[in-house]
Amino acid sequence: MRGWRRGPGSLEEITRVTTILGIETSCDETAAAVVADGRHVRSNVVASQVEFHKKYGGVVPEIASRKHIEVLNSVIGEAMATAQCRHDDIDALAVTYAPGLVGSLLIGVTAAKTLSWLWGKPLLAVDHLHAHTTSPAIGLDAPPWPAVALVVSGGHTTLFYVRDFLDFQRLGATTDDAAGEAFDKVATILGLSYPGGPSIEARARDGDPHAVEFPRTMLGRQSLDFSFSGIKTAVLYHVNGPGKTSGGLEKMSPQRIADAAASFQQAVVDVLVAKTMRAVSRVRVDTVVLGGGVAANALLRQALREECQRRNLTLHTADLAYCGDNAAMIAAHGYHLLQAGRIAALTLAARATTEMK
Ligand code: KG4
Ligand code: ZN
């Protein structure tokens, strides 16, 4: 039709949806997802390897890489099929390139680079921590920024001042163990199964959160950093006796184990909520977002919700499907890199550590 231009600038181009295939293999979940316009999740497939690592009490890197190789192609296939996508519907490939286990990251990075080359589509290099930080925005009608973000996972416990999807300032972080790591280690001390977060949460339901006064390490009145190694040691001595590291668990009743789990969980949540509120006062925002694997914890979600309500703050918690490792958050974050023209080269390498300042 005369007057209607096709190509860039036409109505068709302006109203076009941008569809991104995300790939995530940084640790022990093999994941792929298709996300439209950075917020509409059309598929989100996660193949967990937890059963293979359980008997070792933690992730075994060699097993993780091997399992990623075994299942990644079918996970990608399922994500594409569920989203009813063919490869020419995909506008870009987003992949986690850091931080994580390098052997695991390599599998996803290699797959994404291959598809990018094969399909002739841009490659987007996503930092896993950035994706956890912006994951609470998935599905929202409007971006929640500026906000304070609490990101709590197995590898990180960090507070960010987020001005925009690609504009972060780190306000504080853990100086030793991450919150999820503390859950995992304390679960081992209490004889509970891996991963520790869900098992502690389940056991804590039968316990009294005030039975044991575990320390709330605040690191001074101004600090926005965290420390969870002290509470881990306090649980160890509570179980085994002062200065002792073994032999006590067998003598503990199921009720005392539940009480210790509940008291530990309460102490960690108290610190996370208190520091988040400190951060809010520091940067003076009225929105808080919560993401990362530990964000699945019901007590943390509830405590943060209550505190935000009390202070008239808006809270966006990541949907449970996007708390643990997943590729929807990678594709969603990748969309903003694409918008900003931050395309990665096919020489992209996996990195064990985050580049986030
Ligand atoms: O984000 P994630 O899946 O992986 C990393 O990027 O680290 O987080 C995994 C961590 C594990 O330490 C796990 O124990 C913890 O999140 N986690 C929980 C819960 N679900 C998972 N911690 C507390 N409560 C939960 N319900
Ligand atoms: Zn994660």
Side-chain angles (χ1 to χ4, degrees):
M1 196 196 293
R2 282 190 66 182
W4 284 97
R5 249 179 347 113
R6 288 195 174 270
S10 69
L11 188 63
E12 193 179 69
E13 184 70 20
I14 292 162
T15 55
R16 209 179 158 279
V17 169
T18 301
T19 307
I20 297 185
L21 171 64
I23 297 174
E24 154 66 45
T25 62
S26 67
C27 192
D28 62 340
E29 328 277 1
T30 315
V34 174
V35 177
D37 287 343
R39 60 200 178 100
H40 303 298
V41 179
R42 293 176 45 180
S43 65
N44 183 34
V45 180
V46 182
S48 173
Q49 305 177 357
V50 76
E51 288 309 317
F52 302 104
H53 300 286
K54 220 171 193 155
K55 63 171 176 258
Y56 305 102
V59 178
V60 182
E62 289 78 7
I63 296 178
S65 320
R66 210 170 328 125
K67 291 291 163 197
H68 286 311
I69 294 176
E70 283 171 23
V71 303
L72 183 56
N73 280 350
S74 56
V75 166
I76 292 173
E78 195 183 328
M80 294 288 282
T82 308
Q84 296 187 314
C85 269
R86 289 157 36 92
H87 70 77
D88 44 9
D89 298 319
I90 298 294
D91 295 296
L93 282 302
V95 66
T96 308
Y97 81 103
L101 300 168
V102 169
S104 287
L105 286 163
L106 257 179
I107 314 302
V109 168
T110 306
K113 288 197 312 197
T114 308
L115 293 177
S116 161
W117 178 76
L118 204 62
W119 297 350
K121 304 291 164 133
L123 178 69
L124 306 162
V126 177
D127 182 301
H128 185 85
L129 190 54
H130 291 204
H132 272 310
T133 309
T134 59
S135 65
I138 295 176
L140 296 185
D141 289 335
W145 326 122
V148 161
L150 172 65
V151 187
V152 266
S153 71
H156 297 88
T157 301
T158 310
L159 280 164
F160 290 111
Y161 174 32
V162 187
R163 295 186 194 86
D164 205 345
F165 282 100
L166 304 180
D167 186 359
F168 302 66
Q169 180 189 338
R170 196 175 82 168
L171 300 170
T174 185
T175 52
D176 41 53
D177 291 348
E181 197 178 351
F183 269 93
D184 294 335
K185 288 177 177 169
V186 164
T188 306
I189 295 170
L190 295 176
L192 306 176
S193 63
Y194 174 86
S199 3
I200 288 191
E201 177 165 21
R203 191 54 80 90
R205 284 191 205 109
D206 303 323
D208 172 4
H210 306 292
V212 194
E213 270 306 298
F214 288 127
R216 274 93 170 138
T217 308
M218 298 302 281
L219 301 171
R221 295 177 64 84
Q222 303 294 325
S223 172
L224 293 176
D225 288 330
F226 300 90
S227 168
F228 294 110
S229 68
I231 187 168
K232 181 189 64 189
T233 310
V235 177
L236 188 68
Y237 291 166
H238 172 75
V239 170
N240 299 299
K244 298 201 186 117
T245 55
S246 62
L249 189 61
E250 299 71 36
K251 297 176 211 139
M252 272 178 98
S253 66
Q255 186 58 52
R256 280 195 62 217
I257 293 177
D259 287 345
S263 302
F264 162 78
Q265 179 178 252
Q266 186 67 55
V268 172
V269 166
D270 285 352
V271 172
L272 291 173
V273 172
K275 295 259 170 166
T276 306
M277 293 307 134
R278 253 186 211 180
V280 167
S281 314
R282 180 82 52 88
V283 297
R284 297 173 190 278
V285 291
D286 56 15
T287 303
V288 174
V289 305
L290 171 69
V294 183
N297 186 277
L299 182 69
L300 174 60
R301 294 168 86 88
Q302 182 199 334
L304 207 52
R305 194 176 309 121
E306 284 172 8
E307 197 56 38
C308 285
Q309 271 166 4
R310 221 169 59 75
R311 295 170 187 244
N312 251 333
L313 302 169
T314 302
L315 172 70
H316 296 290
T317 45
D319 195 284
L320 282 181
Y322 315 130
C323 287
D325 289 346
N326 67 91
M329 68 178 188
I330 304 305
H333 193 81
Y335 173 76
H336 300 284
L337 292 171
L338 184 66
Q339 296 285 90
R342 286 165 56 175
I343 312 295
L346 283 181
T347 50
L348 176 70
R351 284 176 49 113
T353 53
T354 181
E355 283 177 277
M356 188 168 240
K357 288 184 263 2

